[in-house]
Amino acid sequence: MITIYKILVFIHIFSAILGMGPGFILTTVVKSGKNMTELRHSYKIRHKLHIFVMIGGALLLITGLSMGFLNPSLFKMGWYVTSLILFLAALAIGPLVLSPRSKPVKALLESHKGEEIPTEYWRLSKILFQFENLENIIFLIIISLMILKPF
């Protein structure tokens, strides 16, 4: 018989694949734009992918905590607690760091006339992408902790 815990593990793994997978390419998608039309289109694709990231992230948190409540010994495991803290930190990076840095980029995409990508975009996006890369590193650490359970 399949237990609730096994169902949660299944949902958790699928959420990681379907939610975090697209998150790793969000920066890559918009780097492919060679002119403003392509760049705007890239950001539309990025927005659609980000929906999967948000749903997957929410499911990861819900299933991860649920597994912890079903198996309270997880809260005594270093890899679990560290993963949870890193995940919450990564979630906080979105509204506290990424959102304020993406708003000027979005405004520039909406207001700029012409096909040439303005130099201001490159400056703004470079800062945004650095924080997105930091977040990706955090997620890679979390995935490694979940797989290896080193402590």
Side-chain angles (χ1 to χ4, degrees), residues 8 22 30 44-45 69 88 92-93 104 117 123 125:
L8 288 173
V30 293
K44 286 179 185 173
I45 293 170
F69 291 124
L88 293 172
I93 288 173
I117 299 173
R123 185 185 69 76
S125 66

Side-chain angles (χ1 to χ4, degrees), residues 2-147:
I2 297 178
T3 65
I4 292 174
Y5 191 85
K6 285 183 181 179
I7 292 169
L8 288 173
V9 170
F10 179 83
I11 294 169
H12 192 74
I13 292 169
F14 263 81
S15 297
I17 295 166
L18 297 173
M20 293 180 87
F24 288 113
I25 63 162
L26 290 178
T27 302
T28 307
V29 168
V30 293
K31 285 184 177 180
S32 65
K34 303 288 186 249
N35 57 51
M36 286 304 289
T37 299
E38 289 180 5
L39 194 59
R40 286 183 183 109
H41 182 68
S42 297
Y43 272 90
K44 286 179 185 173
I45 293 170
R46 173 187 166 102
H47 177 72
K48 289 178 181 180
L49 289 172
H50 191 253
I51 293 168
F52 286 97
V53 174
M54 291 187 314
I55 293 168
L59 284 172
L60 281 170
L61 184 60
I62 292 165
T63 56
L65 287 172
S66 297
M67 287 185 287
F69 291 124
L70 287 175
N71 183 7
S73 66
L74 286 175
F75 288 106
K76 295 176 185 171
M77 308 260 180
W79 64 268
Y80 179 85
V81 173
T82 304
S83 297
L84 185 57
I85 291 168
L86 288 173
F87 192 82
L88 293 172
L91 284 180
I93 288 173
L96 298 176
V97 178
L98 296 179
S99 183
R101 282 163 182 78
S102 66
K103 286 179 184 175
V105 172
K106 290 177 185 176
L108 183 71
L109 291 172
E110 290 175 13
S111 67
H112 183 74
K113 306 294 182 215
E115 283 298 307
E116 188 175 327
I117 299 173
T119 55
E120 180 68 2
Y121 167 78
W122 300 113
R123 185 185 69 76
L124 294 171
S125 66
K126 182 180 179 183
I127 296 166
L128 175 65
F129 297 162
Q130 286 174 342
F131 284 107
E132 289 180 353
N133 289 334
L134 171 65
E135 195 166 45
N136 285 341
I137 290 168
I138 291 170
F139 287 132
L140 288 172
I141 291 169
I142 293 168
I143 291 168
S144 297
L145 288 170
M146 294 282 161
I147 294 169

